[in-house]
Structures are given as C-alpha cells and as structure tokens.
Amino acid sequence: MTPRTALGALHIGALMFGLTGVFGKLAAASPAVIVFGRAAFAVLALAFFARFASQNGWQKLQAVDWRRLALSGVLLAGHWVSFFIAVKVAGVAIATLGFTSFPAFTVILEGLIFRERIRTNEIVLVVLVSVGLVLVTPAFDLASGATTGLLWAVLSGLLFALLSLTNRASSGRIPAVQAALCQNVVVTLCLLPVAAPQLSEVRALDWLWIGLLGVFCTGVAHSLFVASLAVIKARTAAVVFAMEPVYGITIAWLLFDENPTVRMLIGGALIIVAIVVSARMSGSADKKTVAAEAASH
C-alpha cells in the first residue's frame, strides 16, 4: 500500500465499523444470534486473511496468553451483545453514541487499575463525554426505550474499555489478526448454547445481514486496519477510527429515518470531539495497540 491508498483503506474500514449497528438493526434476530453469527463469519474471514495476506507467522501462545484471550473473548461477547440490545431498543444513533463513551471509561479504569494520575486534559475528556450522554438522552426515564437503550450502550462502552485494556496487555506478543481470530472463536463458543435453539428460525435474509456484519464489519474492516498500519502512523489510524460513529449515525439517518434532535446533535458532537481528543492523546501508542483496539470493535 501507498500512504494514499492506506488512508483510503482506513476510512473504508471505519465506514464498515460504522455499519455494525445498521446491519444489526436490519437483522430480525435476537442479539445472541446476531453476535454468534457475526463471530462465526468473522472467524472465517480472519482465517482467510491470516492464510493468504498476513506475512507474520502465528505466535506460539503460553498459558497466560490463553487466559487473556479467553477473558477478552468473554468481554467481547458481552460488549457486542449489550451493543445490539441497545440497537434493538433505542436505535442505531443512541446505541452508537452511548458506546462511544468508552474513552472516558478507559481514562478512569487506567487510573484505578494502574494507579496512574489522571491529567487535566483527561478530566476534560470525561466531562465532555458525560455532558454529551446527558444531552443525547431525551429524558432519564427507565420506562423510556431511549434511556434503557442508552444504558445498554454505555455498558457496551464500559466492556469495550475493559477489553481494550486487556488487549493492550498482550498486544506486544500476539499478532492482532491471531488475537482477533482467537477472541471470535471464544465469542462463538460463549453464544452457541443460547443461539443454537434459535438458529432454525433465522430467515435467509437475516443470515445475509449477519454474514455481511461478520465478514465486512469485522473480518475485512479489521484486516484493512492491520494492512494500512504498515504505512500509516498509529495516531492517524486512531483519529480515522474516531470517524466511525459519524459514518454509522449518518447511514442510520438515511436508511431508518432516525432524525436526531438538535440536543442529540450537540451531545453527539461533544462525544465525537472527546473521541478525537482521546485519539490525539494516545498518539504515542504503538501500532500494535491501535490494531488490538480495532480488533475488539
């Protein structure tokens, strides 16, 4: 790849990540079935990429690596299930904005787990996300689908933050594609007992949406990120990754007529600004860290 084509690949990958909620909304299946199918199709796509496109060999895993991958797979399953519940309950826009609270959770968790002092700019990030979430919610009423969906989406963001920290701990040893493949295998095994009784009821059209979700929004999108990181700076990749909610909300607006209110637009803008700020702050992160975070999405 040249730098220009790599930047284009990054944006295509971000667009595919943004379509996650859209395909989840189109598929008339339960979140458990959607996540099971997504992970199963992602395993096939990632295995294909690893076999024919990856130049790096498989890393021999130690016991501690297997434990981390198992834990991250469970967290990934919880992250995806809670996100798709939010999509079904509140729509793509609210689900996407609620999930994008994860940078604030990452800052807080890093301070608590690693005993790191939270800097002033990180406090500003948390405040921006918090205010944005308040504005996104029409009214704090648990009887409201918007509020319930937002809470599920925020839970998805919390689990994603925990997942990102887990991935960063092992990103120096395990290649990103290998880690993503193993995690999706764990997700498939976790959801199989719940999804199996419902599989015979899934329509062919729904399998199409789930297949597109697994192959393009997971396998292909992640593979594009990994390939482009060979010539693109990690900071650039992180900032482009922050465009994902913009793509997702725009497409949902066009397809499902999810017209955002002015208040929601202001709240969404604050959250997206916080994501971009977070990406700029993490500019010192290496490419393996960025690829590991993309693998979790």
Side-chain angles (χ1 to χ4, degrees):
M1 282 189 176
T2 65
R4 184 174 182 178
T5 57
L7 186 61
L10 279 175
H11 278 282
I12 293 173
L15 173 61
M16 289 180 178
F17 282 134
L19 287 171
T20 297
V22 173
F23 287 133
K25 176 118 177 168
L26 287 170
S30 70
V33 170
I34 292 173
V35 173
F36 168 79
R38 176 185 187 175
F41 281 108
V43 167
L44 297 177
L46 289 167
F48 178 86
F49 177 77
R51 173 66 179 82
F52 294 103
S54 179
Q55 301 298 318
N56 299 321
W58 290 98
Q59 175 69 39
K60 184 177 181 180
L61 302 179
Q62 301 176 358
V64 65
D65 298 321
W66 285 113
R67 287 194 295 269
R68 283 176 177 167
L69 288 172
L71 173 61
S72 59
V74 172
L75 289 171
L76 180 59
H79 157 57
W80 279 349
V81 169
S82 54
F83 176 76
F84 286 116
I85 291 176
V87 168
K88 298 292 186 182
V89 173
V92 177
I94 289 179
T96 301
L97 291 174
F99 152 71
T100 50
S101 61
F102 74 87
F105 285 119
T106 302
V107 168
I108 295 170
L109 290 171
E110 281 181 334
L112 293 175
I113 296 174
F114 300 111
R115 305 290 183 180
E116 296 179 354
R117 184 175 63 85
I118 299 178
R119 297 169 293 179
T120 303
N121 53 0
E122 292 174 331
I123 294 175
V124 172
L125 184 152
V126 174
V127 171
L128 283 175
V129 170
S130 301
V131 174
L133 290 175
V134 170
L135 292 174
V136 165
T137 310
F140 286 96
D141 181 4
L142 292 179
S144 166
T147 302
T148 304
L150 181 65
L151 291 176
W152 277 108
V154 171
L155 173 61
S156 177
L158 172 59
L159 292 173
F160 182 79
L162 288 169
L163 177 57
S164 296
L165 294 177
T166 304
N167 279 342
R168 289 174 191 176
S170 56
S171 61
R173 274 188 42 79
I174 308 174
V177 174
Q178 182 180 0
L181 180 59
C182 294
Q183 288 170 355
N184 277 277
V185 169
V186 173
V187 172
T188 304
L189 295 176
C190 286
L191 272 297
L192 179 59
V194 181
Q198 307 174 47
L199 295 181
S200 60
E201 302 173 4
V202 180
R203 303 176 306 171
L205 182 60
D206 294 329
W207 279 121
L208 171 63
W209 303 131
I210 294 172
L212 292 174
L213 179 62
V215 173
F216 289 99
C217 299
T218 309
V220 174
H222 173 59
S223 300
L224 287 174
F225 262 77
V226 171
S228 62
L229 282 172
V231 291
I232 289 290
K233 292 181 180 179
R235 173 178 293 189
T236 302
V239 172
V240 172
F241 186 75
M243 291 296 296
E244 175 252 322
V246 177
Y247 292 134
I249 293 170
T250 301
I251 294 171
W253 178 27
L254 296 174
L255 288 182
F256 306 123
D257 198 27
E258 292 187 3
N259 297 318
T261 63
V262 175
R263 174 174 167 167
M264 183 182 293
L265 287 173
I266 295 173
L270 288 175
I271 294 173
I272 292 168
V273 167
I275 300 172
V276 175
V277 170
S278 173
R280 301 292 294 181
M281 285 164 46
S282 62
S284 60
D286 62 19
K287 294 182 178 182
K288 289 182 179 179
T289 299
V290 176
E293 185 164 290
S296 310
H297 197 43

